[in-house]
């Protein structure tokens, strides 16, 4: 049956899991009170990731097997968008190689940015790809540093065969400032947790949840999944109890091995919930931030027919453990290491050239010769085919989703990399096409000729002189 | 139908500056050093030079672009000076310009200069530089060792050579060149090293250790060329002529198409085949007297032995370990120390190789002189990286060969 609702979902969790014990081992002398939080691990983005690249990966996870030309609008929700003035959703659109005739929307400014974006999509009639991503920016030795983590999620809303449909929503807006981060500032400033819990979560959310349930004509006990993206221990349980929602319905906040992914966390938890939801179940998604957004969904019989490529569980299983807290600090710009003169190389981007080549650069679109079938990257006027230099015969040939294999590789300790050694080499795409590219997310000993690869959208270089970042595709171990 | 360059051009004189960390010299002073030696050898006046070519790859480091730096450094008499840049093959490229000018009959005498001042960067290794606005968005700005190191991973895979076997063969290349460099007073590095030192050196780019990489040096080298007839008229009796001069430039096939396996230089194979044909050499393994190749890294030299059709494919590492290319082997390779120890001032290197071959052919190489009367000497100068490069080959020999 053709209906409007959530058509698919996906998530992304960076591969590195920083051990909280390693953070405490360094900071414990100063912040001994955080000892109780010094267990488990948090997901931290690589140096070449930001909210846009993570949103792209979550979208790819959600769009597995889905015709991308059906998408009419792309939204990205985050409080850590890389660009203040350059449509971030537009970069996501290019990386996904979507048709130009789509709308775009950046949603920011609050921890409930993702639910607000989702509500807008559910309230409209377009097929909208809602992404949410956060690269968290906690101060070293803060409680936030222990509880936060980086992640992204994506939900496709539109007309088709939904796996979940919209039942009701309720939003409250009040300028309750539990924490804040002024534009351009690196870190959050938090007010006392007890006050936030009692006056914020309890006094704002409890009545709002009750109002939603009444509006929907649903008893609290009928909620099967209560999704509350709040890292403060006990708060989701307290809210559930007040609303009459069973304790067993309270969703795992993923604190043990991911951390709280800021504005993205609502969709990350929703994605984790949809992975295990059953037909007929009700999901109540409740996000908090200067008020709250409450969304009631009902899972349809189509659940299970559409699966993310990995989903939250799959991403959590793809992990590299790290106890290198210094590396994390350096990658976040919180530790000034001597990078050497080679790091002074100017990475100015010619915007004219970027525009001309945007499909190749942002979308990894190569060329295929319509005469010989030769696949190549990048596309060129004259085919690279050694025997037939056909001119002007190439059609677009997207390579981002094509598996590849390592032809040659090295671990270069001389060239500057924020994460030395720099791994790169020549790779061959299955079905044709070759390029030299950087490798990312590799544990060093995993590299070998013939190793299977999957391309990932990453930051290629930072232009620190002008405040610009250059995106491109890198090869990661296949997953 | 063109018949090639064979015996149309003779080398009238050559010179080479002392290579190394020339902290006290600018590039123009290094050029003068090479020029004065070449002019004394040629026995001519500056007014007799009709045209000049300058090969320099990193002109931004010291001299700046165009032919003007050479014209000014030597105060050439307002003749045409052309600056050429073809990555690390720039030296041979400048030689090619001068040789072609003489062969065409447009010039009687032409000068080729290759020069580089690399020790003004503030750090070791080659300067980091852009490769164009579009390339920098989709390509790799890696280091030279990182680019060439990939040969090893592919070579091992293609030929089933063990990691330790290849590493040992690569080490032999470096130990041999250090032993040769120790006998060369103009070399940057003049100290012998042991296998253990090479094998245990810090890793630069897997699997290349410090001693698998050539030196980055300041230096200049110069050639003055003319026709054999003019050389004789100027009183030269012992004449060395150009037998072949070939250049092959990647068209993107290796990097973009499929077919190349990553373990060899496609361009070198193409240039070598054409060069032997041009020089009339049918069996390089038995006919070449000595060779100077672009040993920017040990693994580059090793695979080049195969690309020059001297060693069989996949067997170069065995020839290396057998000592075939040692100073006392059948075909000495880098008898002057090579890029590894003579040093690698980029634009000068191609001409430095020809300089050594020229000295050897004339019996003027001093302590390192090959005693068996060399006849054909090949030089191979390479720029770029394995998957996209410029490969040049020059064969010079005795005029009567």
């Amino acid at each position: 049956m053709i209906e409007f609702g959530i058509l698919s979902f996906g998530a992304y969790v960076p591969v590195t899991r920083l051990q909280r014990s390693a953070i405490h081992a360094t900071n414990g002398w100063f912040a001994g009170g955080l000892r109780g939080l010094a267990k488990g691990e948090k997901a931290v983005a690589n140096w070449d990731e930001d909210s846009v690249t993570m949103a792209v990966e979550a979208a790819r996870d959600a769009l597995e097997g889905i015709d991308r030309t059906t998408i009419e609008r792309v939204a990205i929700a985050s409080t850590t968008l890389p660009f203040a003035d350059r449509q971030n959703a537009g970069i996501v659109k290019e990386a996904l190689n979507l048709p130009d005739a789509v709308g775009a929307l950046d949603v920011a400014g609050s921890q409930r940015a993702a639910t607000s974006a989702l509500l807008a999509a559910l309230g409209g009639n377009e097929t909208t790809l809602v992404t949410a991503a956060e690269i968290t920016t906690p101060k070293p030795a803060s409680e936030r540093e222990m509880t936060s983590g980086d992640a992204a999620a994506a939900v496709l809303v539109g007309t088709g065969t939904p796996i979940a449909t919209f039942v009701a929503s309720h939003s409250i807006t009040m300028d309750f400032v539990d924490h804040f981060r002024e534009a351009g500032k690196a870190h959050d400033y938090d007010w006392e947790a007890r006050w936030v819990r009692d006056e914020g979560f309890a006094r704002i959310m409890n009545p709002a949840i009750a109002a939603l349930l009444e509006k929907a004509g649903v008893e609290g006990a009928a909620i099967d999944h209560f999704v509350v993206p709040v890292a403060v221990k006990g708060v989701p349980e307290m809210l559930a109890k007040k609303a009459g929602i069973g304790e067993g319905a309270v969703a795992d906040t993923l604190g043990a091995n991911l951390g709280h992914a800021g504005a993205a966390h609502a969709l990350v938890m929703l994605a984790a919930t949809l992975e295990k939801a059953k037909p007929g179940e009700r999901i109540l998604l409740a996000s908090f931030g200067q008020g709250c957004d409450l969304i009631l969904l009902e899972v349809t019989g189509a659940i299970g027919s559409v699966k993310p490529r990995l989903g939250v569980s799959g991403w959590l299983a793809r992990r590299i453990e790290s106890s290198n807290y210094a590396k994390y600090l350096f990658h976040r710009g919180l530790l000034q290491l001597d990078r050497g003169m080679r790091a002074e190389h100017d990475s100015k981007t010619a915007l004219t050239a970027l525009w001309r080549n945007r499909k190749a650069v942002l979308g990894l679109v190569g060329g295929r010769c319509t005469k010989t079938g030769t696949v190549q990257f990048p596309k060129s006027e004259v085919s690279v085919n050694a025997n037939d230099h056909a001119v002007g015969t190439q059609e677009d040939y997207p390579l981002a989703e094509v598996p590849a294999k390592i032809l040659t590789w090295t671990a270069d300790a001389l060239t500057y990399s924020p994460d030395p050694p720099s791994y790169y080499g020549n790779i061959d795409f299955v079905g044709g096409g070759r390029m030299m590219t950087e490798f990312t997310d590799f544990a060093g000993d995993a590299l070998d000729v013939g190793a299977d690869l999957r391309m990932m959208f990453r930051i290629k270089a930072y232009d620190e002189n002008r405040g610009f970042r250059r995106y491109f595709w890198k090869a990661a171990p296949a997953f | 139908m063109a018949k090639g360059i064979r015996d149309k051009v003779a080398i009238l004189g050559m010179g080479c500056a002392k290579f190394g960390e020339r902290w006290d010299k600018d590039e123009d002073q290094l050029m003068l050093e090479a020029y004065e030696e070449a002019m004394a050898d040629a026995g001519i006046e500056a007014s007799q030079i009709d045209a000049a070519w300058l090969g320099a790859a990193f002109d931004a480091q010291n001299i700046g672009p165009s032919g003007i730096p050479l014209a000014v450094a030597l105060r050439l008499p307002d003749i045409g000076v052309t600056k050429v840049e073809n990555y690390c093959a720039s030296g041979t490229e400048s030689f090619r310009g001068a040789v072609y000018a003489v062969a065409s009959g447009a010039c009687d005498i032409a000068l080729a200069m290759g020069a580089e001042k690399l020790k003004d960067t503030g750090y070791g290794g080659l300067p980091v530089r852009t490769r164009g606005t579009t390339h920098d968005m989709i390509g790799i700005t890696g280091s030279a060792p990182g680019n060439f190191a990939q040969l090893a991973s592919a070579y091992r895979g293609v030929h089933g050579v063990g990691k330790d076997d290849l590493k040992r063969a690569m080490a032999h290349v470096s130990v041999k060149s250090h032993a040769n460099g120790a006998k060369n007073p103009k070399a940057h590095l003049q100290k012998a090293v042991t296998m253990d030192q090479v094998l245990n050196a810090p890793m630069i780019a897997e699997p290349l250790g410090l001693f698998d990489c050539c030196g980055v040096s300041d230096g200049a080298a110069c050639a003055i060329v003319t026709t054999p007839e003019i050389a004789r008229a100027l009183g030269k009796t012992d004449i060395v002529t150009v037998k072949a001069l070939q250049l092959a430039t990647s068209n993107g096939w290796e990097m973009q198409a499929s077919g190349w396996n990553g373990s060899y230089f496609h361009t070198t194979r193409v240039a070598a085949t054409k060069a032997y044909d041009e020089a009339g050499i049918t069996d390089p393994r038995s006919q070449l007297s000595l060779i100077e190749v672009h040993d920017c890294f040990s693994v580059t030299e090793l695979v080049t032995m195969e690309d020059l059709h001297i060693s069989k494919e996949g067997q170069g590492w065995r020839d290396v370990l057998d000592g075939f290319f040692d100073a006392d082997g059948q075909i000495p390779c880098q008898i002057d120390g090579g890029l590894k120890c003579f040093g690698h001032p980029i634009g000068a290197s191609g001409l430095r190789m020809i300089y050594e071959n020229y000295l050897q052919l004339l019996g003027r190489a001093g302590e390192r002189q090959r005693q068996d009367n060399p006849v054909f000497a090949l030089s191979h100068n390479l720029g770029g990286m394995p998957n996209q490069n410029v490969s040049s080959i020059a064969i010079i020999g005795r005029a009567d060969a």
Side-chain angles (χ1 to χ4, degrees), chain A residues 40 46 73 254 284 331 333 340 373 399:
Chain A
N46 206 342
R73 187 170 297 275
L254 308 170
L284 174 53
H331 286 172
L399 288 163

Side-chain angles (χ1 to χ4, degrees), chain A residues 341-342 345 353-354 357 377-378 384 408-415 424-426 434 436-438 449 460 470 472, chain B residues 122-126 128 134 136-141 143 146-147 149-150 153 204-206 254-257 260 387:
Chain A
M341 285 186 185
R342 288 181 176 274
H345 177 64
L354 174 59
N357 298 290
F377 182 86
V384 77
T408 68
W409 66 274
T410 188
D412 184 347
L414 183 62
T415 200
Y424 55 91
N426 291 280
R434 171 178 289 185
M436 184 146 90
T437 189
E438 286 170 69
V449 171
K460 183 162 171 56
R470 186 183 272 175
F472 189 52
Chain B
Y123 55 88
L126 292 180
V128 184
T134 302
D136 288 355
M137 290 188 281
I138 58 174
I140 301 288
T141 309
S143 71
N147 283 321
Q150 296 171 53
S153 65
I204 302 297
E206 166 68 34
E254 302 98 300
M255 184 184 259
Q256 285 182 278
W260 179 66
N387 64 2

Side-chain angles (χ1 to χ4, degrees), chain B residues 181-325:
Chain B
K183 293 180 179 172
N184 184 351
K186 284 189 177 177
H188 182 168
L189 306 171
Q190 299 178 30
K191 211 172 151 190
V193 296
T194 65
M195 281 292 275
D196 278 353
Q197 270 178 287
V198 177
L199 291 171
N200 298 316
M203 197 60 77
I204 302 297
E206 166 68 34
L208 302 177
L210 181 64
F211 287 102
D212 290 300
C213 307
C214 73
V216 165
S217 328
D218 303 329
C222 180
I224 296 165
V225 294
T226 187
T227 63
E229 295 72 31
I230 294 173
R232 285 192 187 93
L234 287 169
K236 293 277 177 186
T237 50
D238 211 8
I239 290 179
V240 170
T241 57
V242 180
K243 303 291 183 182
L245 198 44
Q246 289 292 335
L247 190 80
T249 308
S250 293
N251 67 9
W253 174 76
E254 302 98 300
M255 184 184 259
Q256 285 182 278
S258 49
W260 179 66
N261 65 25
S263 75
Y264 66 97
F265 291 89
H266 173 64
T267 51
T268 299
R269 293 183 178 186
V270 171
T273 300
K274 287 184 182 173
Y276 295 141
D277 187 47
E278 189 173 31
I281 290 173
T282 50
D283 180 18
R285 195 173 169 103
S286 66
Q287 287 178 271
L288 290 174
S289 311
L290 74 158
I291 57 178
E292 289 286 330
V293 306
H294 199 87
D295 58 325
C296 48
F297 302 97
S298 56
V299 70
T300 317
E301 175 171 328
L302 191 148
V303 305
T304 299
M305 298 305 100
E306 299 176 16
D307 297 337
L308 292 175
H309 313 309
I310 295 170
S311 295
K312 287 205 174 73
E313 208 175 321
Q315 300 298 316
W317 67 281
R318 291 186 197 275
D319 278 344
V320 165
L321 285 171
D322 287 348
F324 189 87
F325 303 107

